[in-house]
């Protein structure tokens, strides 16, 4: 069942995101608007578009969420494999399950390490410029 739904959801999400589908929806709205005077802009005429768009929106939310969930899991799995198979720190595997506070603390730690690395690089460049091995910044 999961496999059938996944294929269905992917196919519908792909179709829904196509320019042709967008143009078809625009055509439906234009046809509905043109039909307004013929139906005297009645409540039934208004209810038709409201009901149709509500049903489509309701169903699409679940299909899109399903495809986003699968895409997110696939992306995380790929990133975890890259981390696992490289010299990166394995502690980053599975961080998507951390709390917001834990993610913020980890992010701050990464930013601090990046600042430290950047400062060391700038210090090295300054030393190389001082020794005449590297052109000055901006040249």
């Amino acid at each position: 069942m999961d496999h059938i739904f996944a294929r269905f959801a992917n196919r519908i999400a792909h179709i829904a995101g196509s320019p042709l589908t967008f143009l078809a929806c625009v055509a439906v709205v234009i046809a509905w608007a043109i039909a307004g005077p013929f139906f005297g802009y009645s409540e039934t005429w208004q209810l038709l578009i409201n009901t149709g768009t509500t049903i489509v929106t309701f169903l699409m939310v679940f299909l899109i969420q399903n495809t986003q969930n699968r895409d997110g899991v696939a992306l995380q799995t790929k990133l975890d494999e890259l981390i696992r198979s490289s010299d990166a720190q394995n502690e980053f595997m599975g961080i998507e399950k951390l709390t917001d506070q834990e993610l913020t603390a980890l992010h701050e730690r990464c930013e601090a390490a990046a600042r430290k690395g950047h400062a060391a690089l700038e210090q090295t460049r300054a030393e190389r410029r001082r020794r005449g091995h590297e052109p000055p910044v901006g040249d």
Side-chain angles (χ1 to χ4, degrees):
M1 180 70 173
D2 283 345
H3 183 67
I4 292 169
F5 182 73
R7 283 186 22 212
F8 173 75
N10 276 338
R11 185 73 183 134
I12 295 300
H14 180 72
I15 291 169
S18 74
L20 188 59
T21 301
F22 175 76
L23 291 175
C25 290
V26 168
V28 166
V29 170
I30 290 171
W32 169 80
I34 291 171
F38 298 107
F39 291 95
Y41 300 104
S42 68
E43 287 184 21
T44 302
W45 171 77
Q46 292 176 24
L47 188 61
L48 179 67
I49 197 74
N50 289 340
T51 303
T53 56
T54 300
I55 290 170
V56 169
T57 302
F58 179 75
L59 295 175
M60 288 304 294
V61 164
F62 295 102
L63 287 174
I64 291 169
Q65 187 62 51
N66 177 269
T67 57
Q68 288 293 312
N69 289 348
R70 276 186 289 104
D71 286 349
V73 170
L75 181 61
Q76 281 306 135
T77 302
K78 290 174 187 179
L79 290 172
D80 286 349
E81 178 58 17
L82 287 172
I83 292 169
R84 189 194 61 74
S85 65
S86 72
D87 291 334
Q89 297 176 8
N90 286 347
E91 70 180 285
F92 286 94
M93 291 177 61
I95 65 170
E96 67 276 4
K97 296 175 184 139
L98 297 177
T99 66
D100 287 344
Q101 287 178 328
E102 292 169 325
L103 281 173
T104 299
L106 187 58
H107 180 74
E108 288 170 356
R109 195 178 91 205
C110 288
E111 281 185 330
R115 282 191 301 274
K116 184 178 177 182
H118 184 70
L121 178 62
E122 286 304 313
Q123 184 178 5
T124 301
R125 284 184 177 158
E127 181 64 24
R128 291 194 74 184
R129 281 191 300 275
R130 188 183 67 75
R131 293 181 181 183
H133 294 275
E134 191 174 302
V137 177
D139 287 349

